[in-house]
Structure formats: structure tokens, C-alpha cells
Amino acid sequence: MERDTIEQIKQLFGANFIGPDELRPFIKRFGEDVELTVPEFNYPLDILNKCAKDYLLVLGTPSFGKQKITLRTLRDAFGVNPDEAEPCFYNQDWYMHESFIDQSLEARWYLVKKQVVEESRAVMPEELLKNHMIFPTAILCAYTFFAYYFQTGAYLWYHDFVWCCDTDHNGDRIYVGKYHDVDGVNKNGFSIHRHLALRNCYAAINAI
């Protein structure tokens, strides 16, 4: 892609642009110093103009050099102990055998909302999908979270969970984010959880 085109879009998005130069601090955390292939913008100009204020425009890539980028490799790189280093992942391992943690991104541009949609709070994901909301993948959220932090020093979705399009092997929906617990009970960390759907194995007993 021509450098002039990138600079024009970068000027449009300002601090909301995460392109090849902005990804360098993130890439160096993996001990890599590679030149990423920069694809053409896969959004029309009218969409980019409309989204420039409230969305991040992020250059996605399946790997940094020979290092594939997945939730697993991000977790390995940044750990789960905030006492040792931040940012990190929240210390949980239930998802380590789930297939979604080994998915990677396509080499393309992504538009990712910086703030949660206020009207979506406390609304079941099925209802949101009926209203044509498009959920991101968990790897896109995590990739964007860390890339944005190493570029700006700021945390995305600091107190909020965001729904993802991924599900676990039972079909339970994944949600991620909420780096900081406002109650101070849990340690800091990028969280990966699943929303348990009601199935026949959930039942009640009577106690007298």
C-alpha cells in the first residue's frame, strides 16, 4: 500500500489509528522486529469517515514474523501475574483446551469500538444479535487491547466486559475484558470468561 494513503487515513483517525508503526512497541514485546505486510483498506472511505471518532482502526496480522499471534501465545508472552508485570491476563486456565484460543487474525484492517455501547449494558447477547450488532472475536479484542496499551499506555474496557462471537465446546458464549475489578477483590488482568447457558444439567434440590 502507498505510504501517502496510510498517512491520510492515519490523519483521519488520529490516536485511534493502529497501523504498522503503532504496532512496533507491541511487536518488540515478542522479541521481533519485522516489517508487516500492509494490505489495502477493506472499508470504503465513507465508513472510515463515519467511524474515525469512535472506533479504532487496527492492522491485524496472523503472526509477527515466525511467531503466530493467538490468545495462547499472548498469554504466554504477558503472563497472568500483575505483581510481576502488567498488562497481563487474569489468572484462569479453564479455556486452555478450547479451540478458540488458538485462532489468529486475518491480515486485514479491523474497526473496533473503543467504548461499549451504553444501550447494550445488561442486555442478553441474543437480543443484541437480533438488533444486528456484530460481536468481535476474542483474539481481536485481546490483540487490540495489548496493541493499544503499548502504543498509548491506556487500557481499553478497563471496567467492562465485551461479548465475543466465540463459543466454547458447549456452545457457551465468550466474553472478555474488564481489566480491573472495581471492588478490589480480584487482581488485575485481561479476563476471558464464558456465559453459561441453561441446560438440563442445571437443576435444583429442596432443603428442609
Side-chain angles (χ1 to χ4, degrees), residues 4-208:
D4 289 347
T5 304
I6 294 178
E7 290 302 322
Q8 290 173 2
I9 301 301
K10 183 175 180 178
Q11 185 174 12
L12 174 65
F13 276 80
N16 291 342
F17 183 83
I18 303 179
D21 293 338
E22 291 74 18
L23 283 171
R24 288 195 179 281
F26 183 26
I27 295 172
K28 287 181 178 179
R29 291 284 172 158
F30 287 84
E32 300 283 350
D33 188 16
V34 298
E35 291 292 333
L36 296 178
T37 300
V38 182
E40 297 292 326
F41 291 108
N42 44 283
Y43 299 99
L45 187 57
D46 62 326
I47 295 296
L48 293 176
N49 278 308
K50 181 180 179 180
C51 295
K53 181 179 178 181
D54 299 321
Y55 284 75
L56 296 166
L57 182 60
V58 184
L59 174 59
T61 180
S63 62
F64 295 153
K66 295 181 180 179
Q67 177 63 67
K68 187 177 180 182
I69 302 301
T70 65
L71 288 172
R72 188 186 301 277
T73 59
L74 289 175
R75 188 180 189 272
D76 289 343
F78 300 115
V80 294
N81 188 350
D83 296 329
E84 294 180 355
E86 291 193 76
C88 62
F89 281 80
Y90 183 66
N91 190 7
Q92 54 192 162
D93 62 4
W94 68 265
Y95 51 79
M96 295 304 293
H97 297 292
E98 297 289 343
S99 61
F100 72 87
I101 76 161
D102 292 312
Q103 295 176 0
S104 57
L105 296 175
E106 297 177 32
R108 50 159 287 199
W109 294 91
Y110 293 86
L111 284 168
V112 182
K113 194 88 161 55
K114 285 181 68 176
Q115 306 292 337
V116 299
V117 177
E118 287 299 319
E119 295 78 10
S120 72
R121 292 187 182 277
V123 179
M124 292 296 287
E126 293 76 15
E127 293 301 313
L128 296 172
L129 291 171
K130 288 179 183 178
N131 290 324
H132 308 293
M133 184 165 282
I134 300 173
F135 295 157
T137 60
I139 179 56
L140 176 58
C141 291
Y143 176 95
T144 302
F145 173 87
F146 285 99
Y148 186 76
Y149 176 84
F150 288 118
Q151 171 61 17
T152 68
Y155 293 98
L156 293 169
W157 318 305
Y158 194 58
H159 293 135
D160 293 315
F161 288 119
V162 294
W163 294 112
C164 297
C165 63
D166 309 88
T167 57
D168 70 2
H169 69 282
N170 285 320
D172 291 327
R173 185 167 300 280
I174 306 305
Y175 58 99
V176 302
K178 197 179 182 184
Y179 191 83
H180 180 72
D181 179 10
V182 293
D183 296 322
V185 175
N186 298 313
K187 289 187 175 183
N188 285 350
F190 184 86
S191 299
I192 303 173
H193 295 296
R194 53 186 166 184
H195 188 258
L196 300 179
L198 288 179
R199 291 186 289 274
N200 284 338
C201 60
Y202 294 95
I205 60 172
N206 202 30
I208 300 174

